[in-house]
């Protein structure tokens, strides 16, 4: 069945409304995917949904995400059980004398771990929760600081998984010659307004040069006035990780048994041509050998915690699989094509960067996909830009900014889900409190593209 017109927006509207109503992500995504499948094939909706789910689960990219996130859970579990995370947090507490300094520590760590946004979110969140809790910082604020230096930093520093992926796509779509994709990407970095603004705003909020507002203000008041850092309804996330932590009398870990695995992850990811999965494999193997040899953990504890750590990521992985399923249904509905074709008559060379950022940002936000939407839309953007004679470097900057905004602001994107899991709040709680801040950065970026397009 062909779906035309604004009706293709219905599943996305349903997901957003249900997410706001239920304050959950998994069920609205599954229901939205079912509604979309029902629109496409009313007589075989359930079987079609089942086929789509099977296709998603056997997709190479989805399998990569599941393995990466699960094994990162295993690494985190070993760091917790060995006392390494506690040793790192204790050492930081000697230097973090107040709340702003603790949050700035998160910000700096996020910049240092630029190789991959997954590594960034998971490593910083799990290691810094105890530090920020000490200064009555809401988990929502912690998640915002981490998320704002995860994907944005990975986009801005061209030695990352984002740069490799997007550089290859730029070449594939004829925007750059063979071998010049990364250089074209680097040229576009000054025009990636959204990630620049998102990163810069964080210290301004930390030091209250821009005061907290909206849901974040309420979250911070709750933490500061009552000491309840974990938001109501997110206690289960702490409980899932709490049983992995070292016993009080188990203080075997040192700061080095935390820092060396982190350095190993970054180094071997870079060594294997920015293959994060290979970095995880080598790091996990090294941790198993080292922790057993140094008697940080027994062999039984080591392998039990690898499994327990993987299991601790199941809630987050369920949401991610549902988001991939929903994106698959939206692709069949033709959501991206509909939105682009609707605004195409309004586009001029001067307006193209602004329109690309706003429209693609909306599509990326609505679908929870940033890399996937980029693959679909870049060929259209390439043709439009060349036909209109637009500045393609500026257009690429706008396109990557839009992808970053979608990753950062969406209620159910992979970045939101993993950052929330690592920080100890639900994806909705993180996204709902962060959205006004992301919207502010998005509006400033949009104004920048509008001004620069006419210069």
């Amino acid at each position: 069945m062909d779906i035309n017109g604004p009706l293709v927006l219905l599943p996305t509207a349903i997901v957003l409304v249900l997410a706001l109503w239920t304050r959950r992500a998994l069920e609205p995504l599954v229901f939205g995917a079912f509604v979309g499948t029902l629109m496409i094939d009313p007589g075989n909706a359930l079987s079609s949904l089942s086929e789509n789910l099977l296709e998603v689960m056997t997709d190479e990219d989805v399998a990569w995400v599941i393995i990466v996130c699960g094994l990162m859970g295993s690494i985190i579990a070993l760091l917790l059980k060995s006392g390494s995370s506690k040793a790192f947090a204790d050492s930081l507490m000697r230097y973090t004398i107040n709340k702003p300094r603790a949050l700035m520590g998160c910000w700096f760590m996020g910049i240092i771990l630029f190789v991959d946004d997954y590594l960034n979110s998971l490593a910083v969140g799990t290691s810094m929760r105890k530090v920020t809790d000490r200064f009555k910082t809401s988990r929502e604020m912690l998640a915002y600081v981490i998320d704002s230096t995860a994907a944005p930093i990975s986009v801005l520093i061209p030695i990352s998984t984002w740069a490799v992926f997007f550089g290859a796509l730029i070449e594939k779509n004829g925007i750059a010659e063979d071998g010049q994709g990364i250089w074209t990407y680097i040229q576009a970095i000054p025009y990636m307004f959204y990630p620049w603004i998102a990163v810069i705003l964080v210290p301004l909020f930390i030091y209250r040069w821009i005061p907290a507002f909206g849901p974040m203000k309420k979250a911070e008041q709750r933490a500061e006035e009552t000491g309840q850092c974990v938001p109501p309804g997110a206690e289960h996330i702490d409980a899932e990780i709490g049983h992995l932590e070292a016993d009080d009398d188990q203080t075997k870990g040192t700061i080095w048994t935390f820092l060396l695995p982190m350095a190993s992850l970054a180094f071997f990811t870079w060594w294997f041509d920015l293959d994060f999965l290979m970095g995880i494999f080598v790091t996990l193997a090294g941790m198993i050998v080292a922790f057993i040899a140094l008697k940080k953990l027994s062999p039984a504890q080591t392998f039990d915690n690898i499994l327990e750590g993987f299991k601790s990521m199941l809630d987050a992985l369920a949401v991610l699989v549902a988001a991939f399923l929903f994106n698959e249904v939206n692709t069949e509905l033709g959501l991206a094509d509909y939105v682009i074709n609707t605004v195409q008559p309004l586009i001029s060379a001067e307006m193209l960067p602004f329109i690309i950022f706003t429209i693609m940002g909306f599509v990326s936000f609505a679908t929870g996909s940033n890399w996937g939407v980029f693959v679909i839309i870049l060929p259209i953007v390439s043709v439009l830009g060349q036909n209109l004679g637009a500045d393609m470097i500026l257009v690429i900057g706008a396109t990557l900014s839009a992808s970053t905004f979608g990753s950062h602001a969406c209620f159910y994107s992979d970045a939101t889900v993993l950052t929330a899991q690592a920080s100890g709040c639900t994806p909705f709680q993180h996204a709902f409190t962060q959205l006004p801040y992301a919207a502010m950065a998005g509006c400033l970026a949009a104004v920048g593209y509008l001004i620069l397009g006419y210069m």
Side-chain angles (χ1 to χ4, degrees), residues 272-356:
F272 289 104
D273 296 325
L274 300 179
D275 187 338
F276 188 33
L277 183 55
M278 285 299 296
I280 288 176
F281 278 147
V282 175
T283 299
L284 185 57
M287 289 175 72
I288 292 170
V289 173
F291 282 19
I292 293 174
L294 296 171
K295 296 184 178 180
K296 303 294 181 185
L297 296 171
S298 69
Q301 284 179 312
T302 300
F303 290 103
D304 284 348
N305 278 277
I306 286 172
L307 292 175
E308 288 295 321
F310 202 107
K311 283 160 58 179
S312 73
M313 297 299 295
L314 288 179
D315 283 356
L317 290 174
V319 176
L320 287 177
V321 169
F324 281 117
L325 176 62
F326 181 61
N327 184 52
E328 183 76 17
V329 172
N330 268 327
T331 301
E332 288 188 30
L333 282 170
L335 173 65
D337 289 339
Y338 165 73
V339 173
I340 286 291
N341 291 333
T342 301
V343 300
Q344 192 166 338
L346 309 173
I347 296 176
S348 63
E350 293 80 11
M351 288 290 290
L352 185 60
F354 170 78
I355 289 175
I356 287 296

Side-chain angles (χ1 to χ4, degrees), residues 100-284:
R101 189 172 288 189
L103 288 172
M104 285 301 292
C106 299
W107 189 70
F108 280 119
M109 280 183 69
I111 293 172
I112 292 167
L113 296 173
F114 61 82
V115 174
D116 186 85
D117 51 333
Y118 285 6
L119 165 64
N120 198 318
S121 294
L122 292 168
V124 180
T126 51
S127 61
M128 294 299 290
R129 284 187 300 182
K130 296 291 184 185
V131 178
T132 55
D133 282 357
R134 180 187 176 191
F135 299 104
K136 297 183 178 180
T137 305
S138 68
R139 294 292 178 83
E140 296 96 323
M141 176 59 85
L142 172 63
Y144 162 69
V145 172
I146 293 168
D147 209 357
S148 297
T149 48
I153 285 294
S154 294
V155 169
L156 293 174
I157 299 179
I159 315 171
S160 67
T161 49
W162 281 68
V164 170
F165 177 79
F166 290 119
L169 282 178
I170 288 168
E171 288 181 26
K172 185 178 178 181
N173 285 277
I175 300 172
E177 295 179 6
D178 289 347
Q180 295 297 308
I182 294 290
W183 173 239
T184 304
Y185 181 98
I186 291 170
Q187 288 178 295
I189 288 174
Y191 304 107
M192 298 177 191
F193 295 156
Y194 181 81
W196 281 114
I197 295 168
V199 171
I200 291 168
L201 280 179
V202 173
L204 303 183
F205 282 115
I206 288 174
Y207 285 104
R208 302 295 169 92
W209 293 329
I210 300 177
F213 60 89
M216 187 70 80
K217 182 178 181 180
K218 293 180 180 178
E220 283 290 273
Q221 286 175 339
R222 181 200 71 233
E224 291 170 359
E225 293 171 8
T226 69
Q228 185 181 357
C229 300
V230 179
E235 296 84 359
H236 66 284
I237 298 174
D238 260 22
E240 287 170 3
I241 293 181
H243 77 279
L244 299 174
E245 292 184 351
D247 301 326
D248 290 338
D249 60 348
Q250 187 176 7
T251 55
K252 299 176 184 176
T254 67
I255 187 172
W256 293 109
T257 55
F258 179 87
L259 291 178
L260 288 177
M262 291 296 102
S264 170
L265 268 173
F267 174 77
F268 284 109
T269 298
W270 169 80
W271 181 264
F272 289 104
D273 296 325
L274 300 179
D275 187 338
F276 188 33
L277 183 55
M278 285 299 296
I280 288 176
F281 278 147
V282 175
T283 299
L284 185 57

Side-chain angles (χ1 to χ4, degrees), residues 26 32 61 124 184 214 425:
L26 179 60
D61 293 333
V124 180
T184 304
C425 57

